[in-house]
Amino acid sequence: MTYAHATAGNGFASSSTAETAQRLRRVQRLAWLLDAAFRVPGTRFRLGVDAIVGLLPVGGSVIMGMVSLYIVWEAWRMRLPTSVLGRMVANIVLETVVDTVPVAGDLFDAAFKANLRNVALMEQALGLRP
C-alpha cells in the first residue's frame, strides 16, 4: 500500500498528502538523529544526540525536551487526534523529567527513545503502522 492510499480520506492530512509525507519524513529523520544515530561499538545498542546532550546537567535535558516538541508540533500541523498529541507530550515529559536524575536518568533516556516512540504514534495514527 502506498502512502497516498494509506492516508486518503483519513482527515489527518493538513493540506495535501505530499505535504504530510514530507513532514513525516522530516520528523522520522530528526527522531533517528535524536535517538539512534550512533551505534555503541561492539553492541547492537544505538543512541542519539538526545542521550549525548542529555549528559549536560539539567540544561541538556531541557534543551532536548524542547527539540522533541518540534515533532509534536508537526503532528499538530498534520491534525492528528488530541489523544495522540497527548501521548506524545507525555512521552517527552517523562523522558525529560527522568533524564534530570544523574546517571540513571541518562540510561533511561538512551533506552526509552521518546522521539522514535512519538514517530511510531504518528505513523499509527496515519494508518501506516498496525
Side-chain angles (χ1 to χ4, degrees), residues 30-53:
L30 177 61
W32 180 84
L33 176 67
L34 293 175
D35 289 344
F38 310 105
R39 187 176 59 81
V40 176
T43 71
R44 292 179 14 182
F45 188 75
R46 301 188 72 84
L47 54 90
V49 174
D50 188 2
I52 296 167
V53 174

Side-chain angles (χ1 to χ4, degrees), residues 20-126:
T20 300
Q22 182 180 24
R23 287 174 196 231
L24 186 60
R25 280 192 304 274
R26 187 177 322 132
V27 296
Q28 286 169 331
R29 285 191 306 265
L30 177 61
W32 180 84
L33 176 67
L34 293 175
D35 289 344
F38 310 105
R39 187 176 59 81
V40 176
T43 71
R44 292 179 14 182
F45 188 75
R46 301 188 72 84
L47 54 90
V49 174
D50 188 2
I52 296 167
V53 174
L55 292 172
L56 298 173
V58 183
S61 303
V62 172
I63 290 168
M64 295 316 298
M66 292 172 59
V67 171
S68 295
L69 286 174
Y70 172 76
I71 296 172
V72 178
W73 183 64
E74 285 291 358
W76 176 79
R77 290 180 66 196
M78 292 164 60
R79 298 186 180 156
L80 295 184
T82 306
S83 61
V84 173
L85 298 175
R87 287 181 64 194
M88 292 172 74
V89 169
N91 285 340
I92 294 168
V93 168
L94 175 64
E95 184 176 80
T96 302
V97 169
V98 174
D99 192 26
T100 61
V101 176
V103 184
D106 297 321
L107 294 173
F108 177 81
D109 183 22
F112 187 68
K113 302 182 185 311
N115 300 297
L116 290 174
R117 286 174 186 263
N118 286 345
V119 169
L121 288 171
M122 291 173 70
E123 292 168 346
Q124 188 176 20
L126 291 167

